[in-house]
């Protein structure tokens, strides 16, 4: 059974950093497109960052304009984990963060929620002084 488990959320002051982890159980993450989404109260879930599968051979990534230059998505294939490094956090980054995977036949990212087949349970990020 495919499972994604996020960790690393918590409380951080504005300007601080967190690193979120998305670990896999039951499958090898590098064969999948992996994305990070977030959802703030009263708002729609939005894509933040995404990394293509190993089949792309280019490791291409996507970051939303709102986080570009502050967040970085990366893989550690040895640990079967995808990370989201979040720096210079702002109060508006506060949300529940989810990692998601596309079905294995896909190679590149999509910005549409319904094109992701597997989801983690989410991890809360709170940015407050």
């Amino acid at each position: 059974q495919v499972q994604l488990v996020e960790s690393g959320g918590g409380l951080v002051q504005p300007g601080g950093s967190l690193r979120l982890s998305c670990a896999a159980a039951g499958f090898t993450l590098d064969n999948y497109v992996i994305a990070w989404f977030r959802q703030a109260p009263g708002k729609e879930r939005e894509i933040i960052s995404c990394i293509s599968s190993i089949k792309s051979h280019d490791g291409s990534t996507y970051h939303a304009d709102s986080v570009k230059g502050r967040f970085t998505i990366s893989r550690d294939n040895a640990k079967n984990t995808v990370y989201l490094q979040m720096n210079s956090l702002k109060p508006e980054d506060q949300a529940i963060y989810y990692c998601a995977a596309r079905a294995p036949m896909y190679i590149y990212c999509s910005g549409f929620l319904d094109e992701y087949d597997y989801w983690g349970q989410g991890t809360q990020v709170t940015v407050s002084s």
Side-chain angles (χ1 to χ4, degrees):
Q1 184 177 357
V2 172
Q3 287 187 323
L4 296 170
V5 180
E6 302 99 333
S7 61
L11 172 64
V12 63
Q13 292 186 342
S17 297
L18 282 175
R19 189 178 75 164
L20 305 184
S21 299
C22 175
F27 65 106
T28 302
L29 264 184
D30 62 4
N31 290 325
Y32 292 75
V33 174
I34 303 297
W36 285 96
F37 289 79
R38 70 184 180 189
Q39 187 167 20
K43 295 189 176 181
E44 294 185 351
R45 194 171 298 188
E46 61 175 349
I47 189 168
I48 294 302
S49 300
C50 185
I51 188 165
S52 61
S53 84
I54 196 171
K55 296 184 286 291
S56 74
H57 300 293
D58 60 13
S60 56
T61 61
Y62 162 83
H63 294 87
D65 288 343
S66 58
V67 305
K68 201 170 292 183
R70 299 188 297 123
F71 291 13
T72 303
I73 190 171
S74 63
R75 293 183 183 273
D76 185 334
N77 293 331
K79 295 184 178 180
N80 205 27
T81 300
V82 171
Y83 299 103
L84 184 67
Q85 178 66 45
M86 306 188 296
N87 299 327
S88 303
L89 282 160
K90 304 176 181 180
E92 52 264 41
D93 294 319
Q94 181 166 315
I96 299 174
Y97 284 69
Y98 300 89
C99 67
R102 298 191 77 186
M105 72 281 287
Y106 297 107
I107 298 174
Y108 291 104
C109 297
S110 167
F112 299 101
L113 275 71
D114 59 3
E115 294 188 2
Y116 289 83
D117 296 273
Y118 311 106
W119 291 83
Q121 81 288 350
T123 185
Q124 176 70 48
V125 171
T126 302
V127 184
S128 175
S129 54

